[in-house]
Amino acid sequence: MRTVKVFDTTLRDGEQTPGISFPLSYKIQIAKQLDKLGVDIIEAGFPAATQGEFDAVKEIASLGLDSKVCGLARLVKHDIDRAIQADVDMVHIFISTSKIQIEHTVKKSREEIVEMAVEGVEYIKSHGVECMFSAMDATRTEVEYLKTIYKAVEEAGVDIVNVPDTVGVATPFTMYELIRELREHLKVPIDVHCHNDFGLAVANTYAAVKAGADEVQVTVNGIGERAGNASLAEVVMLITAVEGLKTNIKTEYLVETARLVERLSGIKLPPNTPIVGENAFSHESGIHAHGVLSEAATFEPGLITPEMVGHRRRIVIGKHAGRHQIKKMLEDAGYAVSEDILTKIVEKVKELGDKGKKVTDLDVITLAEVLMGEVRKEERAIILDEATVLTGNRITPTAVINAEVDGKKRVTSAIGVGPVDAALKAVAELVGKSIRITEFRMDAITGGSDALAEVYVTVEDEDGRSFTARGAGADIVMASIDAVINAVNYLMKMRKNR
């Protein structure tokens, strides 16, 4: 089976995202995660840019990863030397080849550019290091000139050539034709690097692979300059699950990797992000949920499962929910309701939804308890005794929680970036770090400085089971604590019932 290699540039092009600058400790975490994921080549940075960048690339190169480590360099001897001194496995050199970039940036003749490229490749290879050559802005470069410069570096001994869609103007059709033509002209492996200015980075990368590209350049979560790069998860699952080709990526770590980069970059993934987003395998519509509960492939692609990418399936309660999913959720929480009561619950859920209310799992259970006449407060696993939160301009926000957990007194404490964050971490500590708060939202119910706040949370356990709940009050910290404890109580009850 044909294998497509994966070249990840999260630490180089991904870090060029406006507002992102990874410290060394973050870069090492990301590099180790990419190695765990099975990435073939990690572009660790641009060693000549700063001393810190050089140190980071050299440190990553010394980690003994299975992935090869690459450093970027302009076609300048100093840049190339710095990359080689950083002990990388591969040096990635580039120079502009499009008419507009040659005229306004390089300001050399086309013949001189070819000579520079050949000399750069020969210099790198004389040091016993692998070399990748990029014709920058390739998709706006005349095809005949591209063939000329790529053939020249191929004859000079380059290991792989990269075809970058530097400003994201290619379409899948033009990319396919370009790679097909280059593939017929060259023997050396071809790599592609696509930007997302028109939302086509993944599609263009896929088209390039269809046309014969041997390697794809991607970033985790598609981060990168301007609108970003091709997303690693989307490209990998498209060419493996849809196209049936092979990569060395261990796909079960895709969500784990996405969440790490999301946290370290500070760029939150939209819930509807394909493959790794919170809603990628979530269903609210009654028709969809009913089908998925019977056979997942009815309303999911079928070519991939949540488990394949390290995700989990969620059945969400909302105004579009149907009887089957509400009944299933109640059964998981230990409630056997009659058909008449189920009808009333479904009607109330839809009524709340029509009013614009976010319906939580706890709301459904509360409705069931009221209609069944059996409120089960005594079944709570966690009973809060006291919560103390300290904060101030010279105090690290700290929370201390006193509570009864399964009949035993417990005291936990935690620090956070703010009082709410500290309080929620302290609550999570009550039941172990396996509990994760995946969603937190707060709305003001009334106006003024004494406004009532309504907090919505989603809590998930280590098995991927989740539960949504709410809390309300003038004290946003206590409302947040109440919401999380409500969610955790029922999540633990669901775990016991299972």
Side-chain angles (χ1 to χ4, degrees):
M1 185 184 294
R2 177 182 164 203
T3 298
V4 178
K5 289 190 175 181
V6 176
F7 179 112
D8 183 273
T9 183
T10 301
L11 294 175
R12 200 277 299 171
D13 210 349
E15 195 188 25
Q16 291 175 207
T17 303
I20 289 183
S21 180
F22 294 125
L24 177 59
S25 61
Y26 285 13
K27 289 194 172 192
I28 290 173
Q29 284 185 66
I30 292 171
K32 288 181 176 178
Q33 183 65 33
L34 292 172
D35 186 57
K36 176 182 178 181
L37 183 64
V39 163
D40 296 284
I41 302 168
I42 298 170
E43 190 165 44
F46 194 165
T50 66
Q51 183 61 42
E53 188 79 351
F54 173 84
D55 293 340
V57 175
K58 190 174 178 67
E59 181 69 24
I60 291 168
S62 72
L63 293 175
L65 305 177
D66 290 329
S67 304
K68 290 182 180 179
V69 177
C70 177
L72 185 71
R74 295 170 298 178
L75 267 176
V76 176
K77 186 174 181 294
H78 171 264
D79 282 21
I80 296 172
D81 286 340
R82 290 296 276 170
I84 293 170
Q85 290 161 12
D87 297 325
V88 296
D89 302 296
M90 173 183 284
V91 179
H92 177 191
I93 52 174
F94 66 96
I95 192 167
S96 297
T97 55
S98 67
K99 181 179 178 182
I100 187 171
Q101 290 195 2
I102 289 174
E103 289 179 357
H104 294 280
T105 60
V106 184
K107 297 181 179 178
K108 292 185 181 293
S109 71
R110 296 188 172 198
E111 292 73 23
E112 287 176 308
I113 290 171
V114 173
E115 289 175 11
M116 289 172 64
V118 168
E119 288 173 5
V121 171
E122 291 175 341
Y123 183 70
I124 292 167
K125 295 302 295 180
S126 71
H127 287 78
V129 181
E130 289 186 29
C131 178
M132 169 185 281
F133 172 76
S134 287
M136 190 157 70
D137 207 14
T139 53
R140 292 195 297 180
T141 301
E142 294 91 335
V143 176
E144 289 307 314
Y145 183 55
L146 272 183
K147 288 181 180 179
T148 298
I149 195 165
Y150 282 142
K151 196 65 179 178
V153 295
E154 177 182 81
E155 292 171 354
V158 79
D159 294 282
I160 186 167
V161 295
N162 175 42
V163 182
D165 184 24
T166 305
V167 292
V169 294
T171 68
F173 307 102
T174 58
M175 179 61 82
Y176 181 90
E177 289 302 320
L178 174 61
I179 299 302
R180 184 187 58 78
E181 193 164 348
L182 291 174
R183 180 70 288 159
E184 291 175 354
H185 184 69
L186 302 169
K187 295 178 182 177
V188 70
I190 296 175
D191 172 89
V192 290
H193 176 108
C194 299
H195 277 270
N196 206 37
D197 296 75
F198 285 89
L200 293 172
V202 171
N204 287 335
T205 304
Y206 175 56
V209 170
K210 289 277 286 184
D214 306 279
E215 184 173 279
V216 293
Q217 291 201 13
V218 292
T219 62
V220 179
N221 300 341
I223 63 174
E225 295 223 41
R226 305 184 311 280
N229 292 45
S231 162
L232 185 154
E234 293 171 41
V235 168
V236 166
M237 295 313 297
L238 189 58
I239 63 179
T240 56
V242 176
E243 194 61 23
L245 303 179
K246 184 182 177 185
T247 72
N248 294 315
I249 297 297
K250 301 175 183 70
T251 59
E252 63 270 25
Y253 298 126
L254 284 172
V255 170
E256 179 183 294
T257 305
R259 286 177 176 169
L260 175 71
V261 172
E262 178 185 38
R263 178 169 60 83
L264 298 184
S265 68
I267 297 180
K268 188 165 178 60
L269 282 172
N272 62 337
T273 301
I275 312 298
V276 296
E278 198 63 32
N279 291 348
F281 296 93
S282 297
H283 305 271
E284 181 187 313
S285 164
I287 296 170
H288 286 220
H290 184 197
V292 166
L293 288 171
S294 300
E295 167 53 58
T298 53
F299 286 100
E300 287 179 2
L303 297 169
I304 59 173
T305 65
E307 295 75 21
M308 283 173 64
V309 298
H311 219 317
R312 78 279 180 279
R313 184 175 292 108
R314 283 199 310 155
I315 304 299
V316 180
I317 302 300
K319 77 172 185 176
H320 303 104
R323 295 174 66 88
H324 289 87
Q325 69 205 88
I326 292 177
K327 184 178 181 180
K328 177 71 165 56
M329 191 274 284
L330 289 169
E331 287 175 350
D332 287 345
Y335 294 83
V337 298
S338 68
E339 290 300 311
D340 288 344
I341 289 178
L342 180 60
T343 297
K344 292 177 182 178
I345 293 171
V346 172
E347 288 174 354
K348 188 63 177 176
V349 166
K350 293 182 179 296
E351 180 186 326
L352 290 169
D354 280 337
K355 291 178 179 178
K357 294 288 186 180
K358 181 179 173 70
V359 182
T360 68
D361 296 338
L362 183 58
D363 294 332
V364 177
I365 286 177
T366 301
L367 281 170
E369 289 184 344
V370 170
L371 290 169
M372 293 168 68
E374 48 175 296
V375 179
R376 308 181 186 181
K377 296 297 182 183
E378 72 282 355
E379 293 187 18
R380 291 181 298 171
I382 302 175
I383 299 173
L384 179 66
D385 290 332
E386 184 182 19
T388 304
V389 180
L390 302 174
T391 189
N393 61 347
R394 294 189 179 182
I395 300 173
T396 300
T398 305
V400 180
I401 303 290
N402 286 272
E404 193 175 293
V405 182
D406 289 330
K408 296 178 181 179
K409 293 287 185 180
R410 286 207 60 193
V411 178
T412 61
S413 63
I415 61 173
V417 295
V420 172
D421 183 48
L424 299 189
K425 286 178 179 176
V427 172
E429 286 286 342
L430 286 173
V431 290
K433 294 183 178 180
S434 57
I435 296 294
R436 194 170 72 93
I437 299 162
T438 59
E439 182 183 10
F440 178 89
R441 196 184 89 192
M442 182 174 60
D443 296 324
I445 301 173
T446 59
S449 59
D450 60 347
L452 288 174
E454 193 166 38
V455 175
Y456 301 87
V457 296
T458 301
V459 174
E460 181 183 291
D461 68 12
E462 71 275 12
D463 296 321
R465 286 189 291 268
S466 63
F467 195 88
T468 58
R470 78 175 81 216
D475 186 328
I476 62 172
V477 175
M478 286 309 302
S480 303
I481 292 172
D482 287 343
V484 173
I485 288 179
N486 287 336
V488 170
N489 271 326
Y490 280 93
L491 192 57
M492 292 176 74
K493 181 190 293 186
M494 290 165 67
R495 180 188 294 178
K496 181 185 287 187
N497 289 336
R498 282 173 181 258

